[in-house]
Amino acid sequence: MNASTASHKPRYRIQVQARSARLGRGRAGAVAGGGDGGAAGGGEQEDEEEDLFPALIESMAGSDAVCLHALVDGLVADHARLAALWTPLRQILGAVAAGRPAELPAAQVEAFATAYAEHIRREEDELLPLAARLVADDALAAISRAMKARRGGGTA
């Protein structure tokens, strides 16, 4: 992996610290209002779908492209599923952060955590090694700048 890829390789950790379905107000606010633009992953979906996936697809040809399209299509579908799983959890966490009592269903948390962990595993094991191998360093640098700009951390 080259330095450009390593500098923006997503690292996600899902921590479920509450054994009961209740969370403290501060922790719920931090999770629910974590600057994620309303979707799980903190904008990671936009980064991939607008920048990384097209660059990868452009770099492939022939039967390899078919495999890459299947991977990308699966990851895009994951993004939609993760957003659907996250929306009710975010609403509950928002209520807790606002000081209203709310129950956080353990089964919903587990479903989201499991789906998210599998998605990240696919990205780290399959997608990012492809990007490091197939996308030129200058293109990876441009993708990194676009990701930072989307988060207000620089210009594209």
Side-chain angles (χ1 to χ4, degrees):
M1 178 177 304
N2 62 37
S4 297
T5 305
S7 69
H8 69 266
K9 181 178 177 182
R11 296 283 182 191
Y12 301 99
R13 301 291 180 250
I14 300 170
Q15 297 178 348
V16 179
Q17 297 177 348
R19 292 276 183 226
S20 70
R22 293 207 184 269
L23 289 178
R25 183 176 181 174
R27 185 173 299 144
V31 172
D36 66 2
E44 167 250 348
Q45 294 91 340
E46 287 178 1
D47 292 340
E48 292 171 355
E49 292 175 15
E50 292 181 21
D51 297 307
L52 184 57
F53 294 168
L56 276 169
I57 290 169
E58 186 177 312
S59 72
M60 298 292 288
S63 62
D64 289 336
V66 172
C67 294
L68 181 59
H69 276 287
L71 175 61
V72 167
D73 290 348
L75 292 170
V76 170
D78 285 355
H79 292 164
R81 180 169 181 252
L82 288 167
L85 290 168
W86 176 244
T87 297
L89 295 174
R90 183 184 177 115
Q91 291 170 350
I92 294 167
L93 292 169
V96 172
R100 296 186 305 271
E103 292 290 325
L104 188 61
Q108 283 181 270
V109 171
E110 181 64 30
F112 175 78
T114 299
Y116 203 72
E118 176 58 22
H119 176 77
I120 296 305
R121 185 208 56 79
R122 286 181 68 201
E123 289 180 343
E124 290 182 349
D125 292 352
E126 300 173 44
L127 180 72
L128 294 176
L130 280 173
R133 191 176 85 235
L134 299 173
V135 180
D137 286 345
D138 59 336
L140 286 173
I143 290 168
S144 179
R145 286 190 301 275
M147 291 174 175
K148 288 175 185 174
R150 209 173 353 268
R151 287 174 179 68
T155 58

